[in-house]
Amino acid sequence: MLEIISWLRTAERVTVGELAERTGCSEMTIRRDLDQLAEQGVLRRVRGGAVSLLL
C-alpha cells in the first residue's frame, strides 16, 4: 500500500491496471488495497481506479 500512496503523491489519479502493472500484484489485490485506503480517507475510489485526497 505504501507504493500506492507514494504514486498518489505524484499523480492525482491512478488506475487499477497501472498499479497492478507497477507493483506486480493482481488487480483484485489492488482493488482491495484501494478500498482499505478509501476507508482510511487517503483516496476516493472512482471507476477503474482512485483519486488522491492527499494534500
Side-chain angles (χ1 to χ4, degrees), residues 16-55:
V16 171
E18 290 171 332
L19 290 170
E21 185 175 317
R22 181 177 175 132
T23 62
C25 295
S26 72
E27 289 190 4
M28 194 64 222
T29 298
I30 297 297
R31 286 185 190 97
R32 282 192 294 265
D33 288 350
L34 291 178
D35 289 341
Q36 286 181 339
L37 291 170
E39 288 176 13
Q40 296 171 15
V42 175
L43 56 82
R44 180 172 48 93
R45 290 284 277 130
V46 295
R47 183 180 173 127
V51 175
S52 177
L53 294 178
L54 300 172
L55 301 175

PDB file of all heavy atoms in Angstrom, residues 16-55:
ATOM      1  N   VAL A  16      -6.398   1.022 -11.647  1.00  0.00           N
ATOM      2  CA  VAL A  16      -6.118  -0.305 -11.120  1.00  0.00           C
ATOM      3  C   VAL A  16      -5.085  -1.007 -12.000  1.00  0.00           C
ATOM      4  O   VAL A  16      -4.136  -1.612 -11.506  1.00  0.00           O
ATOM      5  CB  VAL A  16      -7.415  -1.144 -11.013  1.00  0.00           C
ATOM      6  CG1 VAL A  16      -7.110  -2.588 -10.668  1.00  0.00           C
ATOM      7  CG2 VAL A  16      -8.355  -0.532  -9.979  1.00  0.00           C
ATOM      8  N   GLY A  17      -5.239  -0.896 -13.308  1.00  0.00           N
ATOM      9  CA  GLY A  17      -4.317  -1.539 -14.241  1.00  0.00           C
ATOM     10  C   GLY A  17      -2.898  -1.031 -14.103  1.00  0.00           C
ATOM     11  O   GLY A  17      -1.943  -1.809 -14.099  1.00  0.00           O
ATOM     12  N   GLU A  18      -2.743   0.288 -13.987  1.00  0.00           N
ATOM     13  CA  GLU A  18      -1.411   0.870 -13.812  1.00  0.00           C
ATOM     14  C   GLU A  18      -0.760   0.372 -12.532  1.00  0.00           C
ATOM     15  O   GLU A  18       0.423   0.019 -12.521  1.00  0.00           O
ATOM     16  CB  GLU A  18      -1.498   2.405 -13.747  1.00  0.00           C
ATOM     17  CG  GLU A  18      -1.849   3.073 -15.038  1.00  0.00           C
ATOM     18  CD  GLU A  18      -2.134   4.553 -14.851  1.00  0.00           C
ATOM     19  OE1 GLU A  18      -2.566   4.973 -13.748  1.00  0.00           O
ATOM     20  OE2 GLU A  18      -1.914   5.290 -15.828  1.00  0.00           O
ATOM     21  N   LEU A  19      -1.527   0.371 -11.461  1.00  0.00           N
ATOM     22  CA  LEU A  19      -0.983  -0.064 -10.175  1.00  0.00           C
ATOM     23  C   LEU A  19      -0.615  -1.543 -10.189  1.00  0.00           C
ATOM     24  O   LEU A  19       0.415  -1.935  -9.639  1.00  0.00           O
ATOM     25  CB  LEU A  19      -1.982   0.224  -9.053  1.00  0.00           C
ATOM     26  CG  LEU A  19      -2.185   1.695  -8.720  1.00  0.00           C
ATOM     27  CD1 LEU A  19      -3.355   1.877  -7.782  1.00  0.00           C
ATOM     28  CD2 LEU A  19      -0.927   2.297  -8.134  1.00  0.00           C
ATOM     29  N   ALA A  20      -1.444  -2.362 -10.823  1.00  0.00           N
ATOM     30  CA  ALA A  20      -1.158  -3.794 -10.905  1.00  0.00           C
ATOM     31  C   ALA A  20       0.126  -4.040 -11.683  1.00  0.00           C
ATOM     32  O   ALA A  20       0.979  -4.835 -11.270  1.00  0.00           O
ATOM     33  CB  ALA A  20      -2.328  -4.533 -11.540  1.00  0.00           C
ATOM     34  N   GLU A  21       0.287  -3.333 -12.778  1.00  0.00           N
ATOM     35  CA  GLU A  21       1.490  -3.488 -13.595  1.00  0.00           C
ATOM     36  C   GLU A  21       2.727  -3.004 -12.846  1.00  0.00           C
ATOM     37  O   GLU A  21       3.773  -3.647 -12.850  1.00  0.00           O
ATOM     38  CB  GLU A  21       1.333  -2.703 -14.897  1.00  0.00           C
ATOM     39  CG  GLU A  21       2.483  -2.898 -15.855  1.00  0.00           C
ATOM     40  CD  GLU A  21       2.242  -2.201 -17.176  1.00  0.00           C
ATOM     41  OE1 GLU A  21       1.112  -2.287 -17.705  1.00  0.00           O
ATOM     42  OE2 GLU A  21       3.178  -1.555 -17.664  1.00  0.00           O
ATOM     43  N   ARG A  22       2.596  -1.876 -12.191  1.00  0.00           N
ATOM     44  CA  ARG A  22       3.730  -1.285 -11.479  1.00  0.00           C
ATOM     45  C   ARG A  22       4.174  -2.129 -10.280  1.00  0.00           C
ATOM     46  O   ARG A  22       5.368  -2.241 -10.020  1.00  0.00           O
ATOM     47  CB  ARG A  22       3.351   0.115 -11.015  1.00  0.00           C
ATOM     48  CG  ARG A  22       4.449   0.829 -10.295  1.00  0.00           C
ATOM     49  CD  ARG A  22       4.014   2.236  -9.931  1.00  0.00           C
ATOM     50  NE  ARG A  22       5.034   2.864  -9.136  1.00  0.00           N
ATOM     51  CZ  ARG A  22       5.513   4.068  -9.344  1.00  0.00           C
ATOM     52  NH1 ARG A  22       5.060   4.779 -10.340  1.00  0.00           N
ATOM     53  NH2 ARG A  22       6.430   4.569  -8.568  1.00  0.00           N
ATOM     54  N   THR A  23       3.211  -2.715  -9.557  1.00  0.00           N
ATOM     55  CA  THR A  23       3.543  -3.456  -8.340  1.00  0.00           C
ATOM     56  C   THR A  23       3.734  -4.947  -8.570  1.00  0.00           C
ATOM     57  O   THR A  23       4.306  -5.624  -7.721  1.00  0.00           O
ATOM     58  CB  THR A  23       2.447  -3.279  -7.277  1.00  0.00           C
ATOM     59  OG1 THR A  23       1.212  -3.824  -7.783  1.00  0.00           O
ATOM     60  CG2 THR A  23       2.257  -1.817  -6.904  1.00  0.00           C
ATOM     61  N   GLY A  24       3.192  -5.466  -9.675  1.00  0.00           N
ATOM     62  CA  GLY A  24       3.260  -6.898  -9.910  1.00  0.00           C
ATOM     63  C   GLY A  24       2.180  -7.667  -9.164  1.00  0.00           C
ATOM     64  O   GLY A  24       2.193  -8.900  -9.131  1.00  0.00           O
ATOM     65  N   CYS A  25       1.244  -6.944  -8.569  1.00  0.00           N
ATOM     66  CA  CYS A  25       0.131  -7.568  -7.848  1.00  0.00           C
ATOM     67  C   CYS A  25      -1.051  -7.753  -8.799  1.00  0.00           C
ATOM     68  O   CYS A  25      -1.127  -7.115  -9.839  1.00  0.00           O
ATOM     69  CB  CYS A  25      -0.317  -6.681  -6.685  1.00  0.00           C
ATOM     70  SG  CYS A  25       0.915  -6.465  -5.401  1.00  0.00           S
ATOM     71  N   SER A  26      -1.969  -8.605  -8.391  1.00  0.00           N
ATOM     72  CA  SER A  26      -3.172  -8.800  -9.199  1.00  0.00           C
ATOM     73  C   SER A  26      -4.086  -7.580  -9.067  1.00  0.00           C
ATOM     74  O   SER A  26      -4.007  -6.826  -8.087  1.00  0.00           O
ATOM     75  CB  SER A  26      -3.924 -10.050  -8.756  1.00  0.00           C
ATOM     76  OG  SER A  26      -4.550  -9.821  -7.500  1.00  0.00           O
ATOM     77  N   GLU A  27      -4.942  -7.399 -10.044  1.00  0.00           N
ATOM     78  CA  GLU A  27      -5.887  -6.282  -9.988  1.00  0.00           C
ATOM     79  C   GLU A  27      -6.836  -6.424  -8.810  1.00  0.00           C
ATOM     80  O   GLU A  27      -7.226  -5.423  -8.212  1.00  0.00           O
ATOM     81  CB  GLU A  27      -6.652  -6.169 -11.309  1.00  0.00           C
ATOM     82  CG  GLU A  27      -5.778  -5.678 -12.444  1.00  0.00           C
ATOM     83  CD  GLU A  27      -6.539  -5.330 -13.706  1.00  0.00           C
ATOM     84  OE1 GLU A  27      -7.789  -5.394 -13.713  1.00  0.00           O
ATOM     85  OE2 GLU A  27      -5.880  -4.973 -14.707  1.00  0.00           O
ATOM     86  N   MET A  28      -7.176  -7.638  -8.432  1.00  0.00           N
ATOM     87  CA  MET A  28      -8.059  -7.850  -7.275  1.00  0.00           C
ATOM     88  C   MET A  28      -7.379  -7.385  -5.987  1.00  0.00           C
ATOM     89  O   MET A  28      -8.004  -6.763  -5.135  1.00  0.00           O
ATOM     90  CB  MET A  28      -8.441  -9.332  -7.182  1.00  0.00           C
ATOM     91  CG  MET A  28      -9.585  -9.604  -6.259  1.00  0.00           C
ATOM     92  SD  MET A  28     -11.070  -8.816  -6.891  1.00  0.00           S
ATOM     93  CE  MET A  28     -11.743  -8.178  -5.390  1.00  0.00           C
ATOM     94  N   THR A  29      -6.088  -7.666  -5.857  1.00  0.00           N
ATOM     95  CA  THR A  29      -5.337  -7.205  -4.687  1.00  0.00           C
ATOM     96  C   THR A  29      -5.303  -5.688  -4.644  1.00  0.00           C
ATOM     97  O   THR A  29      -5.503  -5.076  -3.587  1.00  0.00           O
ATOM     98  CB  THR A  29      -3.901  -7.765  -4.709  1.00  0.00           C
ATOM     99  OG1 THR A  29      -3.967  -9.187  -4.638  1.00  0.00           O
ATOM    100  CG2 THR A  29      -3.071  -7.226  -3.558  1.00  0.00           C
ATOM    101  N   ILE A  30      -5.069  -5.070  -5.785  1.00  0.00           N
ATOM    102  CA  ILE A  30      -5.049  -3.607  -5.869  1.00  0.00           C
ATOM    103  C   ILE A  30      -6.406  -3.042  -5.467  1.00  0.00           C
ATOM    104  O   ILE A  30      -6.480  -2.070  -4.711  1.00  0.00           O
ATOM    105  CB  ILE A  30      -4.654  -3.132  -7.286  1.00  0.00           C
ATOM    106  CG1 ILE A  30      -3.234  -3.572  -7.631  1.00  0.00           C
ATOM    107  CG2 ILE A  30      -4.834  -1.624  -7.424  1.00  0.00           C
ATOM    108  CD1 ILE A  30      -2.143  -2.999  -6.746  1.00  0.00           C
ATOM    109  N   ARG A  31      -7.484  -3.637  -5.952  1.00  0.00           N
ATOM    110  CA  ARG A  31      -8.830  -3.155  -5.597  1.00  0.00           C
ATOM    111  C   ARG A  31      -9.058  -3.219  -4.090  1.00  0.00           C
ATOM    112  O   ARG A  31      -9.611  -2.288  -3.497  1.00  0.00           O
ATOM    113  CB  ARG A  31      -9.907  -3.957  -6.331  1.00  0.00           C
ATOM    114  CG  ARG A  31     -10.002  -3.612  -7.788  1.00  0.00           C
ATOM    115  CD  ARG A  31     -11.169  -4.347  -8.458  1.00  0.00           C
ATOM    116  NE  ARG A  31     -11.098  -4.185  -9.878  1.00  0.00           N
ATOM    117  CZ  ARG A  31     -10.557  -5.068 -10.712  1.00  0.00           C
ATOM    118  NH1 ARG A  31     -10.058  -6.202 -10.263  1.00  0.00           N
ATOM    119  NH2 ARG A  31     -10.520  -4.822 -12.006  1.00  0.00           N
ATOM    120  N   ARG A  32      -8.632  -4.311  -3.463  1.00  0.00           N
ATOM    121  CA  ARG A  32      -8.789  -4.447  -2.006  1.00  0.00           C
ATOM    122  C   ARG A  32      -7.971  -3.375  -1.283  1.00  0.00           C
ATOM    123  O   ARG A  32      -8.452  -2.757  -0.321  1.00  0.00           O
ATOM    124  CB  ARG A  32      -8.374  -5.832  -1.538  1.00  0.00           C
ATOM    125  CG  ARG A  32      -9.419  -6.902  -1.804  1.00  0.00           C
ATOM    126  CD  ARG A  32      -9.093  -8.191  -1.064  1.00  0.00           C
ATOM    127  NE  ARG A  32      -7.879  -8.804  -1.577  1.00  0.00           N
ATOM    128  CZ  ARG A  32      -7.832  -9.754  -2.500  1.00  0.00           C
ATOM    129  NH1 ARG A  32      -8.956 -10.211  -3.026  1.00  0.00           N
ATOM    130  NH2 ARG A  32      -6.685 -10.254  -2.906  1.00  0.00           N
ATOM    131  N   ASP A  33      -6.743  -3.159  -1.748  1.00  0.00           N
ATOM    132  CA  ASP A  33      -5.895  -2.132  -1.133  1.00  0.00           C
ATOM    133  C   ASP A  33      -6.509  -0.748  -1.296  1.00  0.00           C
ATOM    134  O   ASP A  33      -6.514   0.048  -0.348  1.00  0.00           O
ATOM    135  CB  ASP A  33      -4.490  -2.148  -1.743  1.00  0.00           C
ATOM    136  CG  ASP A  33      -3.663  -3.342  -1.316  1.00  0.00           C
ATOM    137  OD1 ASP A  33      -4.089  -4.081  -0.395  1.00  0.00           O
ATOM    138  OD2 ASP A  33      -2.586  -3.554  -1.906  1.00  0.00           O
ATOM    139  N   LEU A  34      -7.029  -0.452  -2.471  1.00  0.00           N
ATOM    140  CA  LEU A  34      -7.665   0.848  -2.700  1.00  0.00           C
ATOM    141  C   LEU A  34      -8.890   1.013  -1.800  1.00  0.00           C
ATOM    142  O   LEU A  34      -9.121   2.105  -1.263  1.00  0.00           O
ATOM    143  CB  LEU A  34      -8.056   1.004  -4.166  1.00  0.00           C
ATOM    144  CG  LEU A  34      -6.900   1.137  -5.160  1.00  0.00           C
ATOM    145  CD1 LEU A  34      -7.448   1.236  -6.585  1.00  0.00           C
ATOM    146  CD2 LEU A  34      -6.000   2.315  -4.842  1.00  0.00           C
ATOM    147  N   ASP A  35      -9.660  -0.047  -1.620  1.00  0.00           N
ATOM    148  CA  ASP A  35     -10.823   0.021  -0.729  1.00  0.00           C
ATOM    149  C   ASP A  35     -10.397   0.336   0.703  1.00  0.00           C
ATOM    150  O   ASP A  35     -11.029   1.157   1.380  1.00  0.00           O
ATOM    151  CB  ASP A  35     -11.620  -1.285  -0.774  1.00  0.00           C
ATOM    152  CG  ASP A  35     -12.366  -1.475  -2.084  1.00  0.00           C
ATOM    153  OD1 ASP A  35     -12.571  -0.475  -2.816  1.00  0.00           O
ATOM    154  OD2 ASP A  35     -12.742  -2.625  -2.385  1.00  0.00           O
ATOM    155  N   GLN A  36      -9.321  -0.300   1.166  1.00  0.00           N
ATOM    156  CA  GLN A  36      -8.824  -0.037   2.520  1.00  0.00           C
ATOM    157  C   GLN A  36      -8.339   1.404   2.651  1.00  0.00           C
ATOM    158  O   GLN A  36      -8.631   2.072   3.653  1.00  0.00           O
ATOM    159  CB  GLN A  36      -7.684  -0.984   2.877  1.00  0.00           C
ATOM    160  CG  GLN A  36      -8.129  -2.396   3.163  1.00  0.00           C
ATOM    161  CD  GLN A  36      -6.960  -3.291   3.541  1.00  0.00           C
ATOM    162  OE1 GLN A  36      -5.803  -2.989   3.227  1.00  0.00           O
ATOM    163  NE2 GLN A  36      -7.253  -4.400   4.204  1.00  0.00           N
ATOM    164  N   LEU A  37      -7.618   1.880   1.665  1.00  0.00           N
ATOM    165  CA  LEU A  37      -7.128   3.256   1.700  1.00  0.00           C
ATOM    166  C   LEU A  37      -8.275   4.259   1.628  1.00  0.00           C
ATOM    167  O   LEU A  37      -8.200   5.329   2.241  1.00  0.00           O
ATOM    168  CB  LEU A  37      -6.120   3.492   0.573  1.00  0.00           C
ATOM    169  CG  LEU A  37      -4.786   2.764   0.740  1.00  0.00           C
ATOM    170  CD1 LEU A  37      -3.964   2.855  -0.546  1.00  0.00           C
ATOM    171  CD2 LEU A  37      -4.004   3.309   1.919  1.00  0.00           C
ATOM    172  N   ALA A  38      -9.324   3.922   0.910  1.00  0.00           N
ATOM    173  CA  ALA A  38     -10.501   4.792   0.845  1.00  0.00           C
ATOM    174  C   ALA A  38     -11.166   4.874   2.218  1.00  0.00           C
ATOM    175  O   ALA A  38     -11.588   5.952   2.653  1.00  0.00           O
ATOM    176  CB  ALA A  38     -11.485   4.286  -0.201  1.00  0.00           C
ATOM    177  N   GLU A  39     -11.237   3.756   2.924  1.00  0.00           N
ATOM    178  CA  GLU A  39     -11.814   3.748   4.269  1.00  0.00           C
ATOM    179  C   GLU A  39     -10.989   4.603   5.228  1.00  0.00           C
ATOM    180  O   GLU A  39     -11.527   5.186   6.159  1.00  0.00           O
ATOM    181  CB  GLU A  39     -11.901   2.319   4.805  1.00  0.00           C
ATOM    182  CG  GLU A  39     -12.960   1.481   4.146  1.00  0.00           C
ATOM    183  CD  GLU A  39     -12.954   0.032   4.626  1.00  0.00           C
ATOM    184  OE1 GLU A  39     -12.284  -0.264   5.641  1.00  0.00           O
ATOM    185  OE2 GLU A  39     -13.621  -0.793   3.978  1.00  0.00           O
ATOM    186  N   GLN A  40      -9.681   4.706   4.982  1.00  0.00           N
ATOM    187  CA  GLN A  40      -8.786   5.494   5.823  1.00  0.00           C
ATOM    188  C   GLN A  40      -8.775   6.968   5.419  1.00  0.00           C
ATOM    189  O   GLN A  40      -8.119   7.786   6.060  1.00  0.00           O
ATOM    190  CB  GLN A  40      -7.364   4.942   5.751  1.00  0.00           C
ATOM    191  CG  GLN A  40      -7.241   3.547   6.311  1.00  0.00           C
ATOM    192  CD  GLN A  40      -5.882   2.926   6.048  1.00  0.00           C
ATOM    193  OE1 GLN A  40      -4.926   3.604   5.684  1.00  0.00           O
ATOM    194  NE2 GLN A  40      -5.792   1.621   6.225  1.00  0.00           N
ATOM    195  N   GLY A  41      -9.457   7.310   4.319  1.00  0.00           N
ATOM    196  CA  GLY A  41      -9.542   8.691   3.881  1.00  0.00           C
ATOM    197  C   GLY A  41      -8.358   9.179   3.066  1.00  0.00           C
ATOM    198  O   GLY A  41      -8.184  10.376   2.876  1.00  0.00           O
ATOM    199  N   VAL A  42      -7.552   8.238   2.557  1.00  0.00           N
ATOM    200  CA  VAL A  42      -6.377   8.600   1.762  1.00  0.00           C
ATOM    201  C   VAL A  42      -6.761   8.918   0.322  1.00  0.00           C
ATOM    202  O   VAL A  42      -6.149   9.765  -0.316  1.00  0.00           O
ATOM    203  CB  VAL A  42      -5.333   7.461   1.797  1.00  0.00           C
ATOM    204  CG1 VAL A  42      -4.166   7.743   0.883  1.00  0.00           C
ATOM    205  CG2 VAL A  42      -4.864   7.221   3.224  1.00  0.00           C
ATOM    206  N   LEU A  43      -7.790   8.249  -0.167  1.00  0.00           N
ATOM    207  CA  LEU A  43      -8.198   8.404  -1.553  1.00  0.00           C
ATOM    208  C   LEU A  43      -9.694   8.217  -1.689  1.00  0.00           C
ATOM    209  O   LEU A  43     -10.365   7.807  -0.746  1.00  0.00           O
ATOM    210  CB  LEU A  43      -7.441   7.408  -2.446  1.00  0.00           C
ATOM    211  CG  LEU A  43      -7.530   5.918  -2.089  1.00  0.00           C
ATOM    212  CD1 LEU A  43      -8.811   5.272  -2.611  1.00  0.00           C
ATOM    213  CD2 LEU A  43      -6.333   5.192  -2.632  1.00  0.00           C
ATOM    214  N   ARG A  44     -10.178   8.561  -2.876  1.00  0.00           N
ATOM    215  CA  ARG A  44     -11.595   8.331  -3.212  1.00  0.00           C
ATOM    216  C   ARG A  44     -11.619   7.367  -4.385  1.00  0.00           C
ATOM    217  O   ARG A  44     -10.943   7.585  -5.392  1.00  0.00           O
ATOM    218  CB  ARG A  44     -12.280   9.639  -3.594  1.00  0.00           C
ATOM    219  CG  ARG A  44     -13.751   9.475  -3.955  1.00  0.00           C
ATOM    220  CD  ARG A  44     -14.446  10.809  -4.146  1.00  0.00           C
ATOM    221  NE  ARG A  44     -13.719  11.737  -4.992  1.00  0.00           N
ATOM    222  CZ  ARG A  44     -13.908  11.854  -6.311  1.00  0.00           C
ATOM    223  NH1 ARG A  44     -14.791  11.109  -6.924  1.00  0.00           N
ATOM    224  NH2 ARG A  44     -13.201  12.726  -7.006  1.00  0.00           N
ATOM    225  N   ARG A  45     -12.379   6.296  -4.239  1.00  0.00           N
ATOM    226  CA  ARG A  45     -12.486   5.311  -5.312  1.00  0.00           C
ATOM    227  C   ARG A  45     -13.347   5.874  -6.431  1.00  0.00           C
ATOM    228  O   ARG A  45     -14.379   6.488  -6.187  1.00  0.00           O
ATOM    229  CB  ARG A  45     -13.126   4.024  -4.786  1.00  0.00           C
ATOM    230  CG  ARG A  45     -12.250   3.251  -3.848  1.00  0.00           C
ATOM    231  CD  ARG A  45     -11.152   2.490  -4.558  1.00  0.00           C
ATOM    232  NE  ARG A  45     -11.675   1.231  -5.054  1.00  0.00           N
ATOM    233  CZ  ARG A  45     -11.522   0.789  -6.292  1.00  0.00           C
ATOM    234  NH1 ARG A  45     -10.864   1.468  -7.166  1.00  0.00           N
ATOM    235  NH2 ARG A  45     -12.009  -0.365  -6.655  1.00  0.00           N
ATOM    236  N   VAL A  46     -12.877   5.685  -7.642  1.00  0.00           N
ATOM    237  CA  VAL A  46     -13.628   6.027  -8.832  1.00  0.00           C
ATOM    238  C   VAL A  46     -13.593   4.807  -9.757  1.00  0.00           C
ATOM    239  O   VAL A  46     -12.782   3.905  -9.566  1.00  0.00           O
ATOM    240  CB  VAL A  46     -13.052   7.264  -9.561  1.00  0.00           C
ATOM    241  CG1 VAL A  46     -13.192   8.505  -8.691  1.00  0.00           C
ATOM    242  CG2 VAL A  46     -11.620   7.066  -9.962  1.00  0.00           C
ATOM    243  N   ARG A  47     -14.437   4.822 -10.747  1.00  0.00           N
ATOM    244  CA  ARG A  47     -14.485   3.677 -11.660  1.00  0.00           C
ATOM    245  C   ARG A  47     -13.110   3.429 -12.286  1.00  0.00           C
ATOM    246  O   ARG A  47     -12.531   4.299 -12.929  1.00  0.00           O
ATOM    247  CB  ARG A  47     -15.510   3.937 -12.755  1.00  0.00           C
ATOM    248  CG  ARG A  47     -15.662   2.780 -13.682  1.00  0.00           C
ATOM    249  CD  ARG A  47     -16.691   3.063 -14.760  1.00  0.00           C
ATOM    250  NE  ARG A  47     -16.671   1.994 -15.706  1.00  0.00           N
ATOM    251  CZ  ARG A  47     -17.752   1.324 -16.066  1.00  0.00           C
ATOM    252  NH1 ARG A  47     -18.917   1.637 -15.566  1.00  0.00           N
ATOM    253  NH2 ARG A  47     -17.659   0.351 -16.927  1.00  0.00           N
ATOM    254  N   GLY A  48     -12.583   2.237 -12.037  1.00  0.00           N
ATOM    255  CA  GLY A  48     -11.313   1.837 -12.627  1.00  0.00           C
ATOM    256  C   GLY A  48     -10.069   2.290 -11.896  1.00  0.00           C
ATOM    257  O   GLY A  48      -8.963   2.012 -12.315  1.00  0.00           O
ATOM    258  N   GLY A  49     -10.240   2.996 -10.771  1.00  0.00           N
ATOM    259  CA  GLY A  49      -9.060   3.459 -10.068  1.00  0.00           C
ATOM    260  C   GLY A  49      -9.382   4.260  -8.837  1.00  0.00           C
ATOM    261  O   GLY A  49     -10.318   3.971  -8.128  1.00  0.00           O
ATOM    262  N   ALA A  50      -8.571   5.309  -8.619  1.00  0.00           N
ATOM    263  CA  ALA A  50      -8.746   6.143  -7.428  1.00  0.00           C
ATOM    264  C   ALA A  50      -8.197   7.537  -7.695  1.00  0.00           C
ATOM    265  O   ALA A  50      -7.345   7.739  -8.543  1.00  0.00           O
ATOM    266  CB  ALA A  50      -8.005   5.519  -6.263  1.00  0.00           C
ATOM    267  N   VAL A  51      -8.711   8.477  -6.885  1.00  0.00           N
ATOM    268  CA  VAL A  51      -8.273   9.868  -6.928  1.00  0.00           C
ATOM    269  C   VAL A  51      -7.719  10.206  -5.551  1.00  0.00           C
ATOM    270  O   VAL A  51      -8.324   9.889  -4.531  1.00  0.00           O
ATOM    271  CB  VAL A  51      -9.440  10.805  -7.274  1.00  0.00           C
ATOM    272  CG1 VAL A  51      -9.018  12.256  -7.210  1.00  0.00           C
ATOM    273  CG2 VAL A  51     -10.010  10.463  -8.638  1.00  0.00           C
ATOM    274  N   SER A  52      -6.587  10.875  -5.527  1.00  0.00           N
ATOM    275  CA  SER A  52      -5.923  11.228  -4.271  1.00  0.00           C
ATOM    276  C   SER A  52      -6.713  12.254  -3.476  1.00  0.00           C
ATOM    277  O   SER A  52      -7.269  13.192  -4.032  1.00  0.00           O
ATOM    278  CB  SER A  52      -4.530  11.785  -4.571  1.00  0.00           C
ATOM    279  OG  SER A  52      -3.913  12.200  -3.375  1.00  0.00           O
ATOM    280  N   LEU A  53      -6.731  12.062  -2.148  1.00  0.00           N
ATOM    281  CA  LEU A  53      -7.265  13.064  -1.243  1.00  0.00           C
ATOM    282  C   LEU A  53      -6.144  13.658  -0.406  1.00  0.00           C
ATOM    283  O   LEU A  53      -6.386  14.409   0.522  1.00  0.00           O
ATOM    284  CB  LEU A  53      -8.324  12.433  -0.319  1.00  0.00           C
ATOM    285  CG  LEU A  53      -9.586  11.942  -0.994  1.00  0.00           C
ATOM    286  CD1 LEU A  53     -10.520  11.299   0.020  1.00  0.00           C
ATOM    287  CD2 LEU A  53     -10.301  13.051  -1.737  1.00  0.00           C
ATOM    288  N   LEU A  54      -4.903  13.315  -0.761  1.00  0.00           N
ATOM    289  CA  LEU A  54      -3.727  13.815  -0.044  1.00  0.00           C
ATOM    290  C   LEU A  54      -3.474  15.269  -0.431  1.00  0.00           C
ATOM    291  O   LEU A  54      -3.583  15.627  -1.593  1.00  0.00           O
ATOM    292  CB  LEU A  54      -2.491  12.974  -0.369  1.00  0.00           C
ATOM    293  CG  LEU A  54      -2.585  11.498  -0.023  1.00  0.00           C
ATOM    294  CD1 LEU A  54      -1.384  10.752  -0.577  1.00  0.00           C
ATOM    295  CD2 LEU A  54      -2.678  11.312   1.476  1.00  0.00           C
ATOM    296  N   LEU A  55      -3.129  16.053   0.540  1.00  0.00           N
ATOM    297  CA  LEU A  55      -2.859  17.474   0.275  1.00  0.00           C
ATOM    298  C   LEU A  55      -1.409  17.703   0.000  1.00  0.00           C
ATOM    299  O   LEU A  55      -0.533  17.118   0.425  1.00  0.00           O
ATOM    300  CB  LEU A  55      -3.308  18.324   1.445  1.00  0.00           C
ATOM    301  CG  LEU A  55      -4.803  18.215   1.782  1.00  0.00           C
ATOM    302  CD1 LEU A  55      -5.097  18.992   3.031  1.00  0.00           C
ATOM    303  CD2 LEU A  55      -5.636  18.721   0.630  1.00  0.00           C
TER     304      LEU A  55
END
